Structure formats: C-alpha cells, structure tokens
Amino acid sequence: MSFFVTPNADGAFDLTVPGYTVFVLLFVALLLAGAAFFNSKKKISVKQLVFSSMAVALALVTSMIKLFKLPMGGSVTLLSMLFIVLIGYWYGLGAGLTAAIAYGILQLIIDPYILSFPQMMVDYLLAFGALGLSGLFCNKKNGLVKGYIVGVLGRYFFAFLSGWIFFGMYAPEEFPNAVVYSLAYNGSYIGAEALITLIVISLPPVAKALNAVKKQALS
C-alpha cells in the first residue's frame, strides 16, 4: 500500500507517482469499459464524447471556484455538480454514472484526501458517482430539476456516511453525536450549492438555454 500512497503531516495519505499513474489508468479504463457496457447496442457518437468531455471539464474548472470553503473539507462551488448532472440528463443513466465516477477519480487525482481505502471509495467514487443518477430522468418532464435533486441527494447520502463513519471523531461537543454532526455539516455546503443551482436553472432564460443545449447534444 505504501507504494501507492505516503503518509503526510495531517495524518492522511498522499498519492505517490505510481498511485497517480494507477488512477489515471483507472480513469481511462472506466471510460472505455463504461462506453462498451452501457452502449453495447449503439455506437457512441463523436458529439456525445465531445459534449460529455466538455461537461466534465466545466465541472472540474468550476469545482475550483469556491464561493466558500468549510474548515474540515467541503465547499460551495460555482455550480460544479450541475455539469456532471447534465451528462445523465442528456444521455441516460449509463453515460451519467460512467462520467460521474470518472469525475470522482479526477477529483481524487487533483485533490486527494485519503484516510483509508474505504473512505476514499465512499468520498470520491460513490459520492461523486451518485450525481450520475440524474440519468434516471433524462426523458422525464422537468427531468433536469428532478435529476439534479436525486443526484445531489445521492452525493449527500455518501458524504453523510463518510462523515459519520470516518470523520465522526471530529464532531464538536455541542453536537449530540456523529450522525447529527455529519448530517448538519455535509448538508450545509451541499444544500447551499443545491439551492443556488436550483434557483439558477429555474430562471426562464437559463432553463431555455439549457433546453437548447440538450437539443444540440442530442441532434
């Protein structure tokens, strides 16, 4: 294990060069496997690859623009979750989950915080991967709003689970237990960004623009 990670001064682990290499290869393998598995009956178009790649890139860039950041991790970003949710909204559950999990791997590569392998899986692959659940609503009325809410609730669930199991020891004394602390802590930043995003995408000009983008993505 020490070949892939090395301890740091905070008591967590940093990725080594082999560790980064493994996750980059995993990122590529996941995209290829997801494309083959979820699209076995139809060919992925160049447009789908381009739009999905652009959405992941926008999510990555906006995730670095933090409106505010909490001391123990977590932040309100410039609508970064929306761009991952859009992929499922455009192309369905398979494409959404594949892109969302791949995005989680990218977040792990760029800004890792690793206490253990289970914590890493929950915080990065499962929490970010849950955003792909938006694909359940790709052909539904008000599908973007519904998909966004479900995807964000999925991320919140895994963030809560991680906070309770792996970070509960850091709960302040004013909280009765780690469960309440994790619910409140993770709900504060995820809920704030979700509320801002839902307000933005509900604005008529923004909703119209997003519908136009979806038509372009599917045409």
Side-chain angles (χ1 to χ4, degrees):
M1 186 70 175
S2 59
F3 182 70
F4 299 104
V5 295
T6 182
N8 61 31
D10 297 328
F13 295 91
D14 293 324
L15 292 172
T16 62
V17 172
Y20 278 110
T21 303
V22 166
F23 282 110
V24 169
L25 293 175
L26 181 60
F27 171 74
V28 174
L30 175 66
L31 290 180
L32 294 175
F37 181 78
F38 290 114
N39 296 274
S40 58
K41 295 183 180 180
K42 60 180 181 180
K43 186 177 180 180
I44 301 177
S45 68
V46 173
K47 179 172 283 190
Q48 179 174 340
L49 290 174
V50 170
F51 271 77
S52 297
S53 299
M54 288 176 60
V56 170
L58 285 169
L60 199 59
V61 170
T62 52
S63 73
M64 298 176 185
I65 304 173
K66 304 182 190 304
L67 304 182
F68 69 81
K69 185 176 182 178
L70 274 65
M72 295 297 294
S75 58
V76 176
T77 69
L78 190 62
L79 314 185
S80 63
M81 292 188 290
L82 172 64
F83 296 104
I84 299 301
V85 165
L86 282 173
I87 299 172
Y89 172 60
W90 293 336
Y91 301 116
L93 182 62
L97 289 174
T98 301
I101 295 172
Y103 175 70
I105 295 174
L106 279 179
Q107 286 289 343
L108 175 59
I109 293 170
I110 292 171
D111 188 22
Y113 190 85
I114 305 170
L115 293 177
S116 64
F117 182 76
Q119 172 266 329
M120 179 189 71
M121 292 290 293
V122 174
D123 272 340
Y124 291 94
L125 272 68
L126 296 180
F128 286 110
L131 295 172
L133 293 173
S134 61
L136 291 169
F137 302 91
C138 67
N139 295 315
K140 305 293 184 181
K141 185 178 179 181
N142 299 318
L144 179 55
V145 172
K146 294 175 182 177
Y148 183 83
I149 291 172
V150 169
V152 169
L153 285 176
R155 184 187 171 190
Y156 176 48
F157 171 76
F158 287 111
F160 152 71
L161 203 63
S162 175
W164 172 32
I165 296 173
F166 305 113
F167 299 95
M169 66 188 75
Y170 302 111
E173 293 182 359
E174 57 265 28
F175 285 90
N177 54 56
V179 172
V180 175
Y181 171 67
S182 184
L183 285 171
Y185 186 93
N186 290 291
S188 63
Y189 69 90
I190 293 177
E193 181 172 332
L195 179 61
I196 293 169
T197 303
L198 288 170
I199 292 172
V200 170
I201 65 177
S202 296
L203 296 173
V206 176
K208 184 177 179 180
L210 289 172
N211 285 333
V213 171
K214 181 171 184 177
K215 290 180 181 178
Q216 286 292 322
L218 297 177
S219 63

